[in-house]
Structure formats: structure tokens, C-alpha cells
Amino acid sequence: MQTVTDLFAAAAGKASFIRKMFEKGIELKQQFGEDAVCDFSLGNPDVPPPEAARAVLHKLADDAIRPLGLGYCPNAGIPAVRDAIAAYLSKQQGVALRGADVMMTVGAASALVCFFRATIDKGDEVIVPSPYFVEYGNYCGHFGGILKPVPTHEDFSLDVPAIAAAVTPKTRAIIVNSPNNPTGAIYSKDELASLVGVVERVNAERAEKGERPLFLLSDEPYRAFAYDGAEVPAILPLSKFALVLGSFSKTLSMAGERIGYIAVNPALTAEDGGAMMTTLTLVNRTLGYVNAPVIGQRLAAAICDTTVDLDIYKRRHDLMAKVLEDAGIEFTMPRGAFYFFPKAPGGDDAKFVDALLEEKILAVPGSGFGRAGYIRLSCAVDEKIIARSAEGFKRAKEKCQK
Ligand code: PLP
């Protein structure tokens, strides 16, 4: 008996690669013990939150026991929290934001969903450079949106002419995710400026025809993770059609607490009279998110200027690079985030993932991110696990290159 929609009955048959690896990981860990398995499949940050969180949480526990201490808050977030996040983003983006320009969300995920609900009609298109975070397709698909992946160059930099060629009258947004999941790429200011050139050109034509604009949506949950002096350029100063969203899931290791945000460019608000922010707030409520968790909002606001210990990630990054180099596995050095996206030796990502599984190493095939022939490795694991995987990578590579 089929109890759910055709769409989801079909989707259940093709559970995501990440989910499959997750289940395989549990099976292997039960069979061989936690320590025997090197699990590079998940992006759940394992580094403890900053120590500063402890005192804030104790105080929040005391403050919560009062009327409405744990009650609903305004749909766009607690006003003082919106002000704090606006100050944090103003510094980061170099554009003066007020609390009214920021909505607190249930992770970056719901910021994306709310944006799509606010801007997508059935059949509308969203462009994303590929490989990409695969949930984008699901999030816009709920509203009949169609994700159009446009391959990046070999080094994962943006192919701006190809993106420009993919824009149609139905394109509502281009998503950029930098530092990138899964490649670790950070887009340069020049790349972003040339992408903005495309957006501005399209919007000049649309304005003449009275059509809705094309947005540039910058998804930045990995902004703090940049290595070896790499800088993540700010997007808001480049165009009024740019929106920034992000979360504290990774930077404060509070992914389970589900706190994110979306900021609307004040220059856009000046033109649309606040319609975008009003609509985002409305859909946040009507989609049933209602408001981002109140304890998490207060925690994030109190410690948003700190981060987890980024040196831990840097050491893992360097060690993983060494493990792959020693195994002779080709990769582009990631400049940010905490992922590696190496080439699958022999070219078949599913086969390489299977060979790694035989070594009790869990990775995700690049096909799951829209780029076959590669695999994704997440460094949300201890250094000793990365070190332990070295021989397994060598053996799996040998097997696949025969
Ligand atoms: N965007 C990207 C690129 C991600 O990798 C993730 C999570 O892994 C998200 C958005 C969603 O993050 P959050 O936990 O803040 O909802």
C-alpha cells in the first residue's frame, strides 16, 4: 500500500548517498567497533562549541524560568538577537545592516527554504555551480522550482559565461556557496564581480520589461573556515540583488540547535519597501517554522564573534592533504570549509567508494553532489582517524587503478 505521494514514494527508493553511507557506517561500527571505522561521510561538526557557551547556557537556564522565557518570539527572531546578528554581519559584509534587515531561521536550511517559498513559482529555475550541496534541489523542488546545475571549471572556480548562458526568463536566483561544500573552493572577488555583472545585466533588462529580478543568494555557513590566508569576499556590497544567509551550525558547532539567518540587502529594501523581508517572515511562520529556537538564538547572539577552535580544522586539513598526496590521489587543495573532493582513481566514484568501504573507510560518491568521478571526504573527524586511514587509501587506490 502506498501511503505517501508519488513524489516521495519515488524519492524513498533513492535515499541519498550520504544517508546510505550513514547506515553503512553504523553497520560497520557495530561489526568491527567504533575505532576500526574511518568515517568521512558526514558534515556534523565534532569539535566542541567554544568554552564561552558554557556560562551563557547556565545564565540562559536561569533566565528561561519566567513567563515566556521559552515562549514564542516574533517570527523574524528576538529583536535584540536580530540587532546582534546585524552588527556581526555588518562587520563581516562591510554594509550597515539593521536588525530589521535580518531574519533568524531554523538553520541555513530553512533560510534557503523560506527564500525559495518567497520567490519561486512552479517551473521557475535556480542556477547553482556544480558540484553542489544536493539539498538545494529538494528545497526549491518543494515549490515546483527546478535546480539547474552549471559545471564549474576543473579547479572548481566559477564558469561565469556558462552561468550567464544558463539564465532564462524563468531564472529567479543563482546560488553561490563559498567556502564550498563539497569542494572547499572559495570564490574570488573577481569571480563574484563578474557574476554580479551577469545579474545586473539581466536585471537591467527585466526592469525595463517590469519583470521580477534575478537574485544572487550567498550561502555561507562555512565562512569562518578559510585556510592559509584565504579570504572570503563579502557579497552584499557588490549588488542590491545579493542576499546572504548562513548559520552557526559549523562555526559554533551547534548544528543540532538549528540557528541560522538570512539578511536582505538594505538597498533592496529601499526599493521594494520591505516586501522581501515581510514575505520571508510570513513564510517562516506559514511553513510552520514559526521562529528559530529561542535558547539557540540567544546563545548564538552572545557568542557569534567567537568560533570553534579553527586550528583543529587546519591541522586536519593539512593531514588529509598529506594522506591523499602520499596515496597518489589527485585533488585540488580546498581553501576553505572542511571537505576534500578528490578524483576517484580509475574514474569510477562508486567503485572507489566500494574499495574504500572494504578498508572500512566511508566516503560519499561525487555523483551525490552532481559530479561523477570524484568523492567527498568530510574532515569532521579526529586527526587520529585521518592518520589511520592512510594505508587504506593507498590500497583502495591500487585496486581501482588496476
Ligand atoms: N548549506 C550548505 C552548503 C551546507 O553544507 C549545509 C549543511 O551541511 C547547509 C546549508 C545547512 O546548514 P544548517 O545546519 O545551518 O541548516
Side-chain angles (χ1 to χ4, degrees):
M1 180 176 57
Q2 182 181 321
T3 55
V4 298
T5 59
D6 288 347
L7 178 68
F8 281 92
K14 13 181 192 122
S16 88
F17 284 112
I18 298 185
R19 174 66 29 195
K20 275 187 205 156
M21 280 300 147
F22 181 63
E23 279 152 19
K24 192 77 204 165
I26 293 177
E27 201 183 296
L28 282 178
K29 283 171 197 168
Q30 273 167 356
Q31 204 179 341
F32 298 102
E34 286 277 333
D35 281 354
V37 182
C38 302
D39 187 352
F40 299 115
S41 67
L42 283 179
N44 197 4
D46 62 322
V47 169
E51 183 54 34
R54 188 187 302 276
V56 178
L57 281 170
H58 278 299
K59 178 158 185 332
L60 287 174
D62 291 339
D63 289 354
I65 310 304
R66 60 178 167 80
L68 291 180
L70 296 173
Y72 295 124
C73 75
N75 300 130
I78 299 167
V81 171
R82 293 173 81 191
D83 287 345
I85 303 306
Y88 159 84
L89 288 174
S90 300
K91 244 187 277 164
Q92 200 177 81
Q93 293 285 325
V95 165
L97 295 165
R98 303 151 306 151
D101 301 315
V102 175
M103 177 172 86
M104 300 308 298
T105 60
V106 181
S110 89
L112 287 156
V113 173
C114 288
F115 173 81
F116 291 138
R117 173 71 287 186
T119 56
I120 297 272
D121 286 316
K122 192 163 187 289
D124 282 346
E125 296 164 355
V126 175
I127 291 176
V128 65
S130 73
Y132 60 98
F133 176 56
V134 66
E135 300 293 1
Y136 294 141
N138 296 325
Y139 296 163
C140 73
H142 284 306
F143 312 114
I146 298 160
L147 194 72
K148 280 179 78 176
V150 175
T152 53
H153 293 298
E154 181 77 14
D155 64 356
F156 306 126
S157 60
L158 296 177
D159 186 345
V160 177
I163 293 175
V167 175
T168 75
K170 285 180 172 296
T171 313
R172 294 277 159 247
I174 300 171
I175 305 178
V176 282
N177 166 222
S178 172
N180 186 268
N181 175 11
T183 65
I186 293 178
Y187 305 133
S188 68
K189 201 165 177 184
D190 285 352
E191 283 174 280
L192 293 177
S194 95
L195 190 59
V196 163
V198 173
V199 171
E200 298 289 333
R201 243 185 345 264
V202 169
N203 285 339
E205 282 169 24
R206 289 190 182 183
E208 273 179 24
K209 298 190 211 150
E211 292 172 356
R212 277 156 56 194
L214 170 63
F215 290 106
L216 186 56
L217 189 61
S218 189
D219 177 18
E220 305 189 352
Y222 300 98
R223 170 171 270 278
F225 300 85
Y227 307 109
D228 302 319
E231 273 180 33
V232 186
I235 196 99
L236 288 189
L238 302 184
S239 167
K240 68 178 172 217
F241 301 106
L243 291 92
V244 67
L245 68 94
S247 75
F248 299 99
S249 293
K250 320 280 171 172
T251 52
L252 297 177
S253 269
M254 50 183 278
E257 203 42 41
R258 315 300 305 127
I259 299 298
Y261 52 82
I262 183 163
V264 177
N265 210 315
L268 181 75
T269 303
E271 286 194 21
D272 81 347
M276 176 62 83
M277 182 49 81
T278 306
T279 305
L280 287 170
T281 308
L282 178 68
V283 299
N284 192 37
R285 172 169 69 83
T286 56
L287 284 171
Y289 297 120
V290 183
N291 60 248
V294 290
I295 295 281
Q297 282 191 60
R298 292 199 171 97
L299 174 61
I303 62 170
C304 62
D305 286 326
T306 62
T307 61
V308 291
D309 184 350
L310 297 172
D311 290 344
I312 297 177
Y313 284 100
K314 165 70 177 144
R315 286 198 298 273
R316 294 171 176 184
H317 175 270
D318 292 353
L319 184 58
M320 181 58 97
K322 184 167 181 333
V323 164
L324 294 174
E325 265 159 21
D326 288 352
I329 295 170
E330 257 183 82
F331 66 98
T332 299
M333 182 64 91
R335 298 174 66 229
F338 46 71
Y339 304 105
F340 279 70
F341 202 66
K343 278 192 174 159
D348 183 336
D349 50 345
K351 190 170 163 203
F352 187 46
V353 165
D354 282 343
L356 288 170
L357 259 182
E358 286 171 26
E359 301 294 338
K360 304 188 194 69
I361 296 173
L362 270 62
V364 185
S367 317
F369 299 89
R371 178 80 57 101
Y374 291 75
I375 62 160
R376 191 197 73 168
L377 302 168
S378 165
C379 290
V381 293
D382 200 272
E383 264 177 87
K384 65 178 190 291
I385 294 177
I386 302 175
R388 202 188 318 127
S389 68
E391 295 308 310
F393 273 110
K394 285 182 195 162
R395 284 191 295 267
K397 186 211 165 202
E398 291 312 315
K399 255 185 233 165
C400 289
Q401 260 184 343
K402 267 183 206 154

